[in-house]
Amino acid sequence: MTDDQPKRREDEAEFSEEQSSLLKITMAPTLWAAHFVICYALVAVTCAKGWDFPTVRAGLLVFSCLVVGGISLIGWRAWRQWNVSETGDFINRRGRAEDRHHFLGHAAFLLSVISVIGAIFVTLPLVFIGGCQ
Amino acid sequence: MLGGAVVLWLVVNGAFYYMSSVRPGAVDKRYARHILIGGGIILPVFVLTALLVWGLSILPDPRRPGDGLVVRVTGEQWWWRVEYWPEGADTPVVSANEIRLPVGQRTEIHLTSDKVIHSFWIPALGGKMDMFPGRDTMISLLPERAGTYRGQCAEFCGASHAWMAFAAVALEPAEFDAWLEAEAADAVAPQDEAAQRGQEVFLNEGCGACHAVRGTPAVGLVGPDLSHVGSRKTLGAGRSSMTLQNLEAWIAHTEDLKPEVKMPSYDLTGTDLADLAHYLNGLK
């Protein structure tokens, strides 16, 4: 029983770390989704209520830059977690804890890439369309 | 756009041919990874971003204000009521079933509808815009090259929806001005005896209750204005080309050519039918 204690603590620590990595995976797409909903909803309400569009547009552009920056940061941290530049292992198919850790970084990195592209594509209409028409 | 599509098609199929026929077999992992990341992620992202930027930059064009001329088009079942309002005009130039536009000028097309929803679409000149009963919508078009383009109702509007088309004719500005002046004038008087008889048939058969031929007792507003019907490219809102033979067929078999149309088929034969077609064809 006493021999098991350190092992269990190690498992728990590992599990809690993987839990935070799992959360990290969802963060980039969540930011992208939130950015999408906020941009479209705010523009729709602005146009319906007749609010000052240039101000809302400028605010949303700043918000978009922050979102793109945030997703990029998540992507950068995921890239480091994946650590492919050092290990050279793209697939992490061995089932060790370290591989699981790298794989979650890999998945979070790819999701960050698609999320940053998505957020930029959602922002482009704001850049090019300057009115409610 | 077509050029880009052709290049992409050639690249994708060329790569497939190369990998399957010229150099079959396994390739180096590193090489394969570069192909996948380059061709599957980086290239599509750049191409799609460029297309999106270009698409968004031209998206506001159909909402831009025009250079003066306004054309009001009302969707009817199944034809187009057309009014030209040159800048400063008090009364419109009334026409039907054909849109003429000056090249190099942006023209506002104001759209509405009589009973059901239609959609105004000249694919060669721009996107489509719906026409709603009781509501006005607007699309502005800027033809860049003279020519005749096909327009089509793009919203299902009843039995003869597919036959609700029109010719859109883009003319050089001077040519357009001359045409508009001619279109504004009354219909020409019958030029010969046959046309004279045709006009009598037209008035006796009661065509004037629904159709207007300006300068004659025919002042109906139910159907298309026929003052210059002979100068149009098509007959029956894009149903057939404007020929004597087609005019005769149209008058005698309207319901066959355009199901559920309001105009009845006329039981005319022989010289009456020929003279009437001749008269209408002469209304240039």
Side-chain angles (χ1 to χ4, degrees):
Chain A
M1 195 67 186
T2 44
D3 289 349
D4 283 351
Q5 285 294 36
K7 174 87 173 104
R8 189 179 295 164
R9 268 204 293 277
E10 206 176 288
D11 284 351
E12 278 170 3
E14 191 186 301
F15 179 69
S16 74
E17 189 189 321
E18 295 314 343
Q19 213 177 6
S20 75
S21 281
L22 273 173
L23 196 65
K24 214 178 283 173
I25 280 189
T26 62
M27 273 167 66
T30 306
L31 271 179
W32 169 24
H35 172 254
F36 178 91
V37 170
I38 288 169
C39 284
Y40 274 77
L42 195 55
V43 168
V45 173
T46 300
C47 290
K49 300 275 185 191
W51 296 344
D52 185 39
F53 188 81
T55 311
V56 172
R57 182 190 184 201
L60 282 176
L61 285 173
V62 171
F63 171 62
S64 301
C65 289
L66 292 175
V67 167
V68 168
I71 298 173
S72 303
L73 186 67
I74 295 167
W76 171 245
R77 294 182 62 162
W79 167 262
R80 293 187 54 180
Q81 183 180 335
W82 182 17
N83 202 20
V84 68
S85 53
E86 279 184 28
T87 62
D89 184 4
F90 278 82
I91 301 170
N92 312 113
R93 66 159 62 92
R94 282 167 296 176
R96 296 173 310 177
E98 192 186 344
D99 290 302
R100 282 198 293 277
H101 182 71
H102 288 164
F103 172 76
L104 287 172
H106 185 185
F109 173 74
L110 292 180
L111 283 167
S112 301
V113 169
I114 198 147
S115 299
V116 93
I117 295 168
I120 290 171
F121 277 21
V122 170
T123 309
L124 279 175
L126 276 170
V127 177
F128 284 94
I129 300 172
C132 291
Q133 297 289 357
Chain B
M1 188 66 85
L2 180 65
V6 169
V7 168
L8 275 181
W9 189 89
L10 287 174
V11 167
V12 171
N13 285 283
F16 180 74
Y17 178 74
Y18 178 76
M19 301 304 274
S20 61
S21 303
V22 179
R23 216 190 107 179
V27 294
D28 176 45
K29 260 189 183 170
R30 214 178 151 77
Y31 174 68
R33 198 179 299 137
H34 282 142
I35 291 283
L36 280 177
I37 293 174
I41 299 175
I42 297 172
L43 180 70
V45 166
F46 275 100
V47 170
L48 289 176
T49 306
L51 285 173
L52 184 64
V53 166
W54 177 66
L56 287 169
S57 70
I58 60 169
L59 194 64
D61 286 354
R63 305 290 313 166
R64 289 194 205 286
D67 294 327
L69 174 70
V70 170
V71 182
R72 282 194 67 83
V73 183
T74 307
E76 308 268 347
Q77 279 175 311
W78 292 273
W79 60 281
W80 314 84
R81 192 184 292 276
V82 184
E83 291 175 2
Y84 294 85
W85 292 83
E87 202 166 8
D90 298 328
T91 50
V93 177
V94 177
S95 184
N97 293 340
E98 194 166 280
I99 309 286
R100 298 208 178 202
L101 300 169
V103 169
Q105 293 175 25
R106 188 167 283 283
T107 302
E108 285 183 21
I109 320 265
H110 290 240
L111 304 163
T112 188
S113 171
D114 178 29
K115 280 200 178 81
V116 299
I117 299 174
H118 301 276
S119 187
F120 180 90
W121 191 26
I122 309 169
L125 298 185
K128 57 184 89 165
M129 180 60 71
D130 279 1
M131 316 164 85
F132 304 95
R135 269 189 69 179
D136 273 13
T137 48
M138 193 278 276
I139 185 170
S140 72
L141 298 175
L142 174 64
E144 288 169 344
R145 276 195 296 274
T148 302
Y149 309 102
R150 182 182 163 85
Q152 172 68 44
C153 177
E155 178 74 39
F156 181 73
C157 55
S160 283
H161 159 68
W163 295 121
M164 185 170 170
F166 61 95
V169 186
L171 300 167
E172 294 301 334
E175 215 179 327
F176 176 80
D177 291 342
W179 170 80
L180 191 61
E181 202 181 321
E183 191 73 5
D186 284 350
V188 291
Q191 301 291 303
D192 52 36
E193 274 183 33
Q196 185 68 47
R197 285 197 302 274
Q199 187 186 44
E200 282 162 21
V201 174
F202 185 86
L203 296 172
N204 291 341
E205 290 290 336
C207 306
C210 290
H211 295 286
V213 177
R214 293 194 299 273
T216 75
V219 290
L221 294 173
V222 177
D225 186 298
L226 300 181
S227 304
H228 302 284
V229 64
S231 67
R232 288 181 203 145
K233 307 256 181 206
T234 69
L235 172 65
R239 179 64 183 85
S240 4
S241 54
M242 184 62 71
T243 63
L244 271 176
Q245 204 178 7
N246 287 341
L247 270 164
E248 288 187 21
W250 174 258
I251 296 162
H253 306 286
T254 329
E255 287 154 323
D256 297 331
L257 291 168
K258 201 160 217 180
E260 296 186 18
V261 70
K262 278 184 194 150
M263 177 174 157
S265 302
Y266 277 78
D267 190 18
L268 292 171
T269 46
T271 48
D272 279 357
L273 183 60
D275 291 345
L276 178 54
H278 176 68
Y279 166 64
L280 292 171
N281 195 42
L283 295 176
K284 301 292 187 190

